[in-house]
Amino acid sequence: MTLDQLNIGDEGIITKIRGRGSFRKRVMEMGFIKGKPVKMIKSAPLRDPIEYQILNYNVSLRLAEAALIEVLPVNQLAPEIKQKRFEDQLQITESIRKIVLEKGREIEVALVGNPNSGKTSIFNIASHSREHVGNYAGVTVDSKKAIFRQHNYKFSLTDLPGTYSLTAFSPEELYVRQYLMKENPDVVLNVVDASNLERNLYLTTQLIDMDMKVVIALNMYDDLSKKGDHFDFEHLGKMLGIPFVPTIGRDGDGIEDLFDTVIAQCEGKEPITRHIHIQYGKEIERSILRLQDRILTTKFSHSLSSRFFAIKLIEKDEDARNYINSFDPKGDILELVDKEIIRIENLLGDNTETLITDARFGFISGALKETYKQVEKPVEETNQTHKIDRILTNKWLGFPIFLFFLWIMFQTTFSLGQYPVALIEAGVSWLAESLNTLIPDGIFQDLLVDGIIGGVGGVIVFMPNILILFLFISFMEDTGYMARVAFIMDKLMHLIGLHGKSFIPMIMGFGCSVPAIMATRTLENRRDRLLTMLIIPLMSCSAKLPVYILIAGAVFPAQAGNVIFGLYMFGILLSVLVALALKNTLFRKQDSPFVMELPPYRVPTGRAVFKHMWFKGQLYLRKMGGIILIASILIWALGYFPRTDGTKSEQLENSFIGIIGQAVEPVIKPLGFDWKMGIALITGTVAKEIVVSTLGVLYQDNEETDVLAEKIQTVTYSDGPRIGQKIYSSPAALAFLLFVLIYIPCVAALAAIKKESGSWKWAIIMGLYTTSLAWIVSFTVFQIGSLFA
Ligand code: GDP
Ligand code: MG
C-alpha cells in the first residue's frame, strides 16, 4: 500500500521510499524515513496535495509523490498497537519492527542493457531458486519477472527488453523508459558488455540523466580478461558515482556479489554512490536550466527528474512532449522548447539530437580515456576525432602543443592587434586635437579632452586586442580543444589538489574572471569550486591586457609579446603555488574524481564565432560608456579641483587626487611606483582598464605628445632623489605589471566570488591575499632589478 491510499485519520508505518535519488533524499530530509509512523491529516479539494503528520509536524506532499512512499497500514498490524495513540507508536514494538524489516527487504530490480549484453543469462542464473516466473506482455514487447532470495532479502527481478538508448524511437526503448518511470524499481541493474563499453555506456548516460539508482554488471568480463586490456572500472565507478561489479553471466561468476551490491545500494550503504550531471555544453546547459525552471512551475511530479525531461525535450523526444502537454495544455513550455532548439541549432550549426548524442559520447570517451588501456594497438583509426586526439592529447606532444598555442595566441593578440590599435590611437589623437581647437579653452574643454578622451580613449584603443583574445578563447571552446586541454592538464592539476576540469574556468579567466567564476558551477563539489575561484583572478583577464600592452609596449617595445606571454605564464605559476598552499591548509579534503567530457571536434560556425565575439565586444563597449567613463570623469575632477594657479603638474599635485596620491606614496615607493601609479592602482579596483584611463588622465601634464604610450616613455621624476630619471625604468615597469597582474580583483569579480561562494568571507580573503602577494612580488622584483639596472 502506498501513502496516497491512506484515508483521513489513517496511520501507517513507512516501509519503503521509491523514486529517483534526489527525490528520495528530499523526502527523507522531510522526515519520511523507513520505520517511521505517518498519519494522513487532510487533503486539498482535489486530493492534491495531501497533508501528513510525521515526527510531530505536518508536511504536505503531492499525490504523485505520496504514491512513491510505501506504508504498512497500522490497522493491519498487531492489535496491541492499534489501541495505542499515534504518539506512542514512535516506540515501535518488536513485532512491527520485524514486519517493517521484512518489507524493507523486498527489493525490486530491473535489468536494463543493450541486446545481447547478457541480461537474460544473469536473470536465469540469479533466479535459479526461483519461486515464481511469469511472463508479462508489454505493448509489443515482453518482460519477464522472477522472485528469488539471497541472504535475508527477497528480490523481484524483471528482465526488460534490450535497448541501446532511452529515446522514444523504438517500442522497446519507450517500453523500458516508461517502465522505469512508472514502476520505479528500487535498483536498476544496468548490464554492460565489457567488450563493447563505448556503445553500452551510452545507455548508462541516460540512466544517469534520469537520476536512477543504478548498479552496473560489468558482464562478459571473461572476454575483457582474455583480451588483456586493462580497465580500471573501480575508478570509473567513482567518477560516475555508480558501483561496478564484474560478472560472467554465462557461468554465474560474480552474480552473488552483484546482488550483494544491489542490497548495499538499496540500503544506501554504497559509499561511492552519488548523482552526477553529464555536461552538454554551455549553450545546451543554458537551455536545460531555462526549461527546468519552467517545468518546475507546473504540476510536474518531483519524483521525476526535470533535468531529464528538459534534455529529452531538447532532443525533440515525442513522448516527453506528449507528457509535458498533459499538464501544460496551453503549450507554453513546448513553445519555449522550440525557441531554445532554434537558438541552439542556429548558434551551433547542428541539430540538437546530434549535439546531445555527441556530448554523451564525449562523456564516455573522456571516461574511458582515463580508465581503459588497450593492449593491442587499435587497427587503423577511422574516427576523425580519435585521430586528432592521438596527437593533441598525446602524452608527450599534448602539453607543448598547448603551450605553443597559447604563445601564438598572445603573440597574435599583441602583434596583429597593433595595426588597428595604431589606427584607433590616431583617431583618438585627432579627436582630441580637433576638440582642442573647436572648443574654447576652459573647464568644458578640459573635461572633454583630458577627462573623457584621455580616460576612455586610452582604453578603447585596445578593443582590437581584446577582440582577438576573445576570438582565440571562443575558438578553443567551440572546437572542443578546451576539453582536451582540461584533459591533458588533469594529472598536473591533481598535483595541486584540483581536477583537470578546473582548468577550463582558469582559461576562461583569460577573458574575464566573472564568467570564469560562474563557470566553476560545472565543478561538482564546493571545495573544488572555492579553490578554483580563489586562483582564477591570477589568470590575466582581458581588462589587464590594456595595461600590459601599454606598459610593455612603451617600456619593452622589442619584447612586448614575450613580456606579455611571460606575465600570463607567471600568473599561472602563481596560481599553482597558491593552490598548493591552499590545498595544504584550508582545503585538505580530497576531491572526488569525475569524468571529463571529450566531445567530438567540430568546426565552429561563423555565426557562433561572430556572436561570441560581438557579445563580448558589446560588453566591453558598454563598460567604456559606463563605469570607465564615470571613473575617468571622477578622476579628472579630483585632479582638477581645487584650482590653483601654476603649471599643470603643480595643479595636479595640489589637487584632491594629489593629496590622496601622496598619502599612499610611502606604501608603494619601495616598489618603484610614483604616486600617479598608486592612484591608478586604487582606481583600477573598479575595473582594471581604469589603470590605463587613470594614467591617461594623470599624465595629461606631459604635453610632449598625445599618445599615452609615448607619455609613459618620457615621464621623469620632477623632484626627490630620482629627479630627472625615467619613472618607468625596466624594473619599475616590470614591478608595476606584476602588481597589476596579482593584486585585488576588480569589484565585479569580488561580487561574483561572493555570489558563488555564498559569503563575503571568501571575497575578503581573496582581496587580502592577492594584494599582499602583489606587494611582496613587486617589491622583490623592483629591489633586485634595481641592483642590475
Ligand atoms: P540479453 O540479450 O542481454 O538477454 O543477453 P543473453 O543473456 O541472451 O546473452 C547473449 C549471449 O551472450 C548468450 O549467447 C550468452 O551465452 C552470452 N553471454 C552472456 N554472459 C556472458 C559472459 O559473461 N561471457 C561470455 N563470454 N558470454 C556471455
Ligand atoms: Mg534477453
Side-chain angles (χ1 to χ4, degrees):
M1 185 164 189
T2 50
L3 199 49
D4 61 317
Q5 291 164 334
L6 291 182
N7 292 315
I8 292 181
D10 278 359
E11 295 156 19
I13 309 278
I14 297 167
T15 54
K16 189 185 272 181
I17 296 158
R18 296 168 179 277
R20 70 200 180 91
S22 313
F23 166 75
R24 210 182 313 224
K25 211 170 130 205
R26 197 173 66 91
V27 295
M28 279 169 72
E29 280 163 3
M30 288 162 86
F32 292 90
I33 298 162
K34 202 158 83 181
K36 286 274 183 300
V38 58
K39 183 177 180 177
M40 151 102 172
I41 302 294
K42 62 170 188 272
S43 61
L46 292 169
R47 255 188 86 71
D48 196 7
I50 310 178
E51 198 175 315
Y52 296 97
Q53 183 185 350
I54 186 148
L55 304 173
N56 287 327
Y57 59 86
N58 291 6
V59 290
S60 71
L61 277 186
R62 290 190 184 170
L63 197 61
E65 295 167 355
L68 292 167
I69 299 176
E70 284 190 7
V71 290
L72 209 60
V74 167
N75 53 16
Q76 280 182 15
L77 301 176
E80 73 263 23
I81 297 305
K82 211 166 101 187
Q83 285 136 24
K84 283 190 182 172
R85 283 184 322 149
F86 181 67
E87 289 78 20
D88 299 334
Q89 285 158 15
L90 283 171
Q91 310 158 313
I92 301 172
T93 59
E94 196 53 28
S95 59
I96 293 191
R97 242 173 42 82
K98 263 194 192 143
I99 301 171
V100 170
L101 214 64
E102 198 54 40
K103 272 276 171 194
R105 282 188 177 146
E106 289 174 15
I107 303 178
E108 275 170 40
V109 181
L111 280 164
V112 172
N114 287 11
N116 287 318
S117 56
K119 291 180 301 302
T120 304
S121 306
I122 289 178
F123 178 86
N124 286 337
I125 296 227
S127 60
H128 190 246
S129 59
R130 68 194 143 195
E131 296 172 35
H132 174 78
V133 174
N135 276 307
Y136 297 88
V139 194
T140 53
V141 283
D142 283 344
S143 68
K144 220 175 4 162
K145 191 166 177 166
I147 289 169
F148 68 96
R149 288 184 168 272
Q150 178 163 316
H151 305 311
N152 269 324
Y153 288 84
K154 187 170 147 196
F155 289 94
S156 140
L157 183 64
T158 306
D159 188 16
L160 291 170
T163 57
Y164 294 108
S165 171
L166 291 179
T167 33
F169 283 140
S170 71
E172 289 86 2
E173 289 176 1
L174 194 58
Y175 180 85
V176 171
R177 192 163 107 191
Q178 287 183 340
Y179 181 90
L180 294 181
M181 289 195 303
K182 292 208 179 102
E183 302 296 322
N184 272 298
D186 297 312
V187 174
V188 174
L189 193 47
N190 182 198
V191 183
V192 160
D193 176 354
S195 57
N196 201 341
L197 285 165
E198 197 138 8
R199 202 189 59 199
N200 275 259
L201 289 174
Y202 187 77
L203 183 62
T204 312
T205 60
Q206 293 171 70
L207 295 173
I208 292 175
D209 283 342
M210 286 179 86
D211 190 12
M212 288 281 161
K213 224 174 205 188
V214 181
V215 170
I216 289 181
L218 189 60
N219 200 34
M220 314 265 179
Y221 198 69
D222 50 335
D223 281 355
L224 186 81
S225 310
K226 231 180 286 159
K227 268 202 280 183
D229 287 359
H230 181 74
F231 178 36
D232 188 353
F233 59 84
E234 279 172 19
H235 187 59
L236 183 59
K238 280 186 196 147
M239 293 199 286
L240 301 186
I242 299 175
F244 277 63
V245 183
T247 56
I248 303 172
R250 212 172 33 193
D251 329 336
D253 288 13
I255 307 280
E256 201 178 325
D257 281 352
L258 182 64
F259 284 92
D260 281 346
T261 308
V262 169
I263 293 170
Q265 179 71 304
C266 192
E267 296 284 0
K269 288 187 182 134
E270 257 307 317
I272 66 160
T273 299
R274 69 182 204 279
H275 177 50
I276 64 163
H277 282 182
I278 289 157
Q279 299 292 326
Y280 289 96
K282 214 166 47 183
E283 297 304 333
I284 293 179
E285 286 294 332
R286 192 173 289 165
S287 296
I288 291 174
L289 281 184
R290 278 182 198 154
L291 286 174
Q292 267 184 293
D293 275 352
R294 280 293 276 282
I295 290 172
L296 289 175
T297 60
T298 65
K299 283 204 138 161
F300 186 81
S301 161
H302 285 277
S303 60
L304 298 172
S305 159
S306 57
R307 182 177 166 86
F308 176 72
F309 268 91
I311 294 166
K312 283 290 159 202
L313 288 170
I314 296 171
E315 261 186 302
K316 302 174 189 162
D317 184 284
E318 268 310 313
D319 188 56
R321 288 181 78 97
N322 291 339
Y323 177 69
I324 294 290
N325 231 351
S326 68
F327 51 75
D328 179 44
K330 275 199 295 185
D332 287 354
I333 295 180
L334 293 186
E335 202 175 297
L336 180 65
V337 171
D338 294 337
K339 222 177 79 193
E340 291 296 325
I341 290 175
I342 290 171
R343 184 183 74 84
I344 296 168
E345 293 190 343
N346 272 340
L347 203 58
L348 302 179
D350 212 334
N351 61 46
T352 50
E353 302 98 299
T354 313
L355 289 166
I356 287 182
T357 307
D358 281 356
R360 289 203 180 108
F361 277 119
F363 175 86
I364 296 166
S365 162
L368 291 180
K369 191 152 177 122
E370 234 173 302
T371 52
Y372 199 97
K373 300 274 169 297
Q374 264 175 332
V375 220
E376 297 165 43
K377 288 233 157 46
V379 271
E380 200 45 43
E381 249 340 320
T382 47
N383 183 319
Q384 200 71 22
T385 287
H386 288 187
K387 263 190 206 161
I388 303 173
D389 269 345
R390 290 263 289 280
I391 300 165
L392 291 186
T393 62
N394 181 284
K395 216 184 334 180
W396 305 109
L397 292 175
F399 203 63
I401 291 175
F402 170 57
L403 276 184
F404 182 68
F405 181 84
L406 275 192
W407 184 78
I408 296 264
M409 171 164 107
F410 295 122
Q411 284 297 333
T412 318
T413 301
F414 184 72
S415 45
L416 198 68
Q418 253 177 342
Y419 303 100
V421 167
L423 217 75
I424 300 175
E425 240 169 20
V428 171
S429 289
W430 173 83
L431 191 66
E433 270 159 37
S434 344
L435 288 177
N436 259 334
T437 49
L438 272 174
I439 301 172
D441 281 0
I443 181 167
F444 186 58
Q445 188 204 62
D446 289 345
L447 168 68
L448 269 183
V449 176
D450 295 337
I452 296 178
I453 298 186
V456 177
V459 182
I460 210 154
V461 295
F462 298 109
M463 179 96 180
N465 302 100
I466 286 175
L467 284 184
I468 293 172
L469 183 71
F470 277 130
L471 191 66
F472 271 93
I473 292 178
S474 301
F475 180 78
M476 277 173 87
E477 281 183 51
D478 296 350
T479 50
Y481 183 54
M482 195 78 109
R484 272 67 192 182
V485 172
F487 192 87
I488 55 176
M489 290 303 293
D490 191 50
K491 280 244 163 60
L492 284 174
M493 296 294 284
H494 275 300
L495 295 179
I496 61 169
L498 279 174
H499 194 272
K501 235 179 182 173
S502 291
F503 202 65
I504 295 179
M506 284 169 73
I507 297 270
M508 285 171 69
F510 288 148
C512 175
S513 293
V514 176
I517 288 165
M518 294 197 302
T520 57
R521 282 182 204 164
T522 56
L523 305 176
E524 260 187 62
N525 62 56
R526 183 171 163 79
R527 174 197 173 278
D528 287 358
R529 281 198 296 271
L530 273 178
L531 191 48
T532 311
M533 250 180 249
L534 286 175
I535 58 174
I536 282 174
L538 292 171
M539 305 293 106
S540 300
C541 71
S542 64
K544 295 176 190 168
L545 191 62
V547 189
Y548 295 174
I549 295 175
L550 174 71
I551 308 283
V555 183
F556 312 100
Q559 291 295 325
N562 289 332
V563 169
I564 294 171
F565 181 64
L567 284 167
Y568 278 87
M569 288 298 119
F570 189 71
I572 296 177
L573 178 72
L574 268 187
S575 72
V576 167
L577 297 177
V578 169
L580 272 179
L582 290 173
K583 176 195 166 194
N584 292 315
T585 53
L586 291 173
F587 296 94
R588 292 245 178 86
K589 227 181 90 235
Q590 264 301 308
D591 56 342
S592 47
F594 50 84
V595 172
M596 273 174 300
E597 294 84 0
L598 288 179
Y601 289 102
R602 42 179 76 243
V603 182
T605 60
R607 187 201 300 265
V609 172
F610 179 77
K611 235 189 127 161
H612 243 121
M613 222 173 80
W614 172 236
F615 180 68
K616 285 170 174 157
Q618 224 182 357
L619 284 185
Y620 193 69
L621 281 176
R622 219 177 289 157
K623 215 166 161 187
M624 293 299 121
I627 200 156
I628 293 177
L629 175 67
I630 294 167
S632 298
I633 295 174
L634 215 76
I635 294 155
W636 169 83
L638 286 174
Y640 200 75
F641 301 106
R643 302 298 295 159
T644 41
D645 300 321
T647 63
K648 252 185 165 172
S649 309
E650 282 165 7
Q651 160 65 36
L652 208 54
E653 261 160 58
N654 295 313
S655 68
F656 294 123
I657 214 161
I659 295 162
I660 303 171
Q662 270 127 43
V664 297
E665 200 169 18
V667 183
I668 53 165
K669 210 170 191 162
L671 316 182
F673 307 164
D674 77 339
W675 67 267
K676 293 178 184 173
M677 293 154 89
I679 293 286
L681 291 173
I682 293 173
T683 54
T685 55
V686 175
K688 292 298 157 72
E689 298 96 332
I690 294 177
V691 170
V692 171
S693 47
T694 306
L695 292 176
V697 177
L698 295 183
Y699 287 129
Q700 57 189 258
D701 57 342
N702 179 349
E703 286 176 333
E704 285 179 37
T705 156
D706 278 329
V707 175
L708 183 55
E710 289 166 21
K711 290 185 185 193
I712 298 278
Q713 281 168 339
T714 53
V715 284
T716 53
Y717 281 100
S718 56
D719 54 16
R722 300 191 204 135
I723 188 163
Q725 285 176 23
K726 278 191 177 174
I727 293 178
Y728 290 86
S729 63
S730 306
L734 205 58
F736 187 65
L737 287 170
L738 287 167
F739 200 92
V740 171
L741 160 66
I742 306 165
Y743 87 124
I744 191 166
C746 69
V747 282
L750 289 176
I753 290 173
K754 190 246 153 190
K755 184 159 171 258
E756 296 296 317
S757 70
S759 81
W760 279 110
K761 178 181 145 197
W762 293 106
I764 292 167
I765 290 179
M766 180 85 228
L768 288 179
Y769 103 76
T770 46
T771 310
S772 324
L773 189 63
W775 198 92
I776 295 167
V777 171
S778 297
F779 177 79
T780 314
V781 166
F782 178 69
Q783 294 299 334
I784 294 177
S786 300
L787 296 179
F788 298 96

